[in-house]
Amino acid sequence: MNQEQSLRNFLKDGKAELSNNLCEQQMKPIKLDLKNCQNIGSEDAARDTAFMHSLVQSCRLNGKNPYQYLLHLFRKLKEPLDDIRKRNLLPDRWMSEPEMLKS
């Protein structure tokens, strides 16, 4: 009864998923990895680990090679970047060299 607004959003947008099973399935390997490294050290280390897992999973969801993406990202982060260039480094916008040659 208290989820009326959420249900309305679901009905308005046919792309919206009614369940989060897909998301939960994709998080399972990450959760297992975090369980394996329980003694991660600190909250900062845990946050950094979660951030890296998020980047890798975003690459996979966008059909990008995580290894190539991270190599490119670390090389680019050595340079000073404005906000637009930083946004273009996000996994959904980043294009590998073969993809750039195709377009």
Side-chain angles (χ1 to χ4, degrees):
M1 295 298 282
N2 62 353
Q3 300 296 319
E4 181 180 349
Q5 185 59 41
S6 297
L7 183 58
R8 285 183 190 276
N9 290 337
F10 172 75
L11 293 173
K12 287 179 186 175
D13 184 0
K15 295 180 279 184
E17 294 276 339
L18 191 54
S19 76
N20 65 348
N21 285 341
L22 179 61
C23 181
E24 287 181 8
Q25 289 171 0
Q26 292 173 344
M27 293 302 293
K28 188 174 183 177
I30 295 170
K31 182 65 175 167
L32 289 174
D33 185 40
L34 291 177
K35 188 174 184 179
N36 291 336
C37 56
Q38 285 180 358
N39 300 321
I40 203 161
S42 69
E43 286 187 30
D44 289 338
R47 185 176 50 246
D48 294 343
T49 301
F51 176 74
M52 292 304 292
H53 279 293
S54 176
L55 274 180
V56 169
Q57 191 61 28
S58 293
C59 287
R60 290 181 180 144
L61 289 172
N62 287 288
K64 311 293 181 180
N65 181 317
Y67 180 76
Q68 289 177 349
Y69 170 75
L70 291 173
L71 278 178
H72 179 80
L73 178 67
F74 293 142
R75 287 182 183 135
K76 285 293 185 179
L77 290 177
K78 292 179 185 178
E79 310 166 5
L81 299 169
D82 61 11
D83 287 343
I84 294 172
R85 288 186 179 164
K86 286 179 189 175
R87 280 191 202 106
N88 288 335
L89 290 175
L90 293 171
D92 64 326
R93 297 179 182 198
W94 176 75
M95 286 196 299
S96 64
E97 288 190 28
E99 288 175 318
M100 284 186 223
L101 295 174
K102 289 179 187 176
S103 56

